[in-house]
Amino acid sequence: MQTLKSQKGIAPLVLLAVIGVVVVGVSATAVASNGSKPGDLLYGIDRAVEGIQLAMANAPEAKAQAQIALAQERLQELEALQNAGAAEDKIAEATVRYEQHLEDALAKAQEAKSQGKDTEEVLAIITENTLRHQATLSDVYDKVPEEAQPAIQKAQEVSARGFEEASSAISGEKLEEVINKVKTDIPTIEDKVPAEMQDKIQNPSVPTNTPEGRP
């Protein structure tokens, strides 16, 4: 009888140990999958973890920040694909995912604005990131095969529109701060952006009008 009781007491401990091993294994797999690119064995796990992270970001401004971070991750994948000499369709898939994350970030910023929340900070983050993205996309454009360049060009256009939308909705002082920060980190940024962005980068303190109905 005593032996039976001991076995019953051990069973929950064994179950907890098994659960612990599973949790550690899943966590280790998630860490290993981070940085994987489309086509890699662990890429699906990486995307699943991203979905969980988005679900955990409750407020729209938090979701906007999460989406812009994922847009940056898609660009890193794009660079990895370019370096690996990936096919045109893989590069196009990465750019489409990038564009979707950026558009979702802007939509969530708009949602936060409609709820009366202060969106200056999150829009400044989107402004800074889209400006930095232009440098990355410009470099990738110069390196990919000619047949892949239209996809990169479209991503550049989406990024430029995102920059215009976000930068037009923050104060001139904040915009100047963001642009000066990027210029310090990327001295050649003015050479890497389209013509329509150059005036704002050269004169960030000039007041801009927020488009009707936008953040």
Side-chain angles (χ1 to χ4, degrees), residues 82-166:
Q82 173 261 306
N83 289 331
E88 174 192 352
D89 61 331
K90 294 295 183 184
I91 290 175
E93 286 174 12
T95 60
V96 168
R97 292 191 185 103
Y98 163 76
E99 293 160 15
Q100 187 60 62
H101 285 306
L102 178 53
E103 289 168 353
D104 287 347
L106 290 164
K108 287 301 176 182
Q110 169 66 19
E111 182 181 334
K113 182 72 172 180
S114 69
Q115 294 176 1
K117 297 183 178 180
D118 183 359
T119 56
E120 175 95 348
E121 192 58 39
V122 68
L123 287 167
I125 291 171
I126 295 174
T127 298
E128 179 180 343
N129 276 268
T130 48
L131 184 53
R132 292 179 184 276
H133 294 170
Q134 286 291 324
T136 301
L137 289 166
S138 176
D139 290 342
V140 172
Y141 180 90
D142 290 339
K143 296 175 182 176
V144 296
E146 186 176 351
E147 60 269 19
Q149 288 181 343
I152 305 300
Q153 186 174 14
K154 184 174 181 293
Q156 288 174 305
E157 293 168 357
V158 172
S159 179
R161 288 198 299 270
F163 171 83
E164 179 59 30
E165 183 171 324

Side-chain angles (χ1 to χ4, degrees), residues 22-35:
V22 171
V23 169
V24 170
V26 171
S27 299
T29 303
V31 171
S33 69
N34 190 33

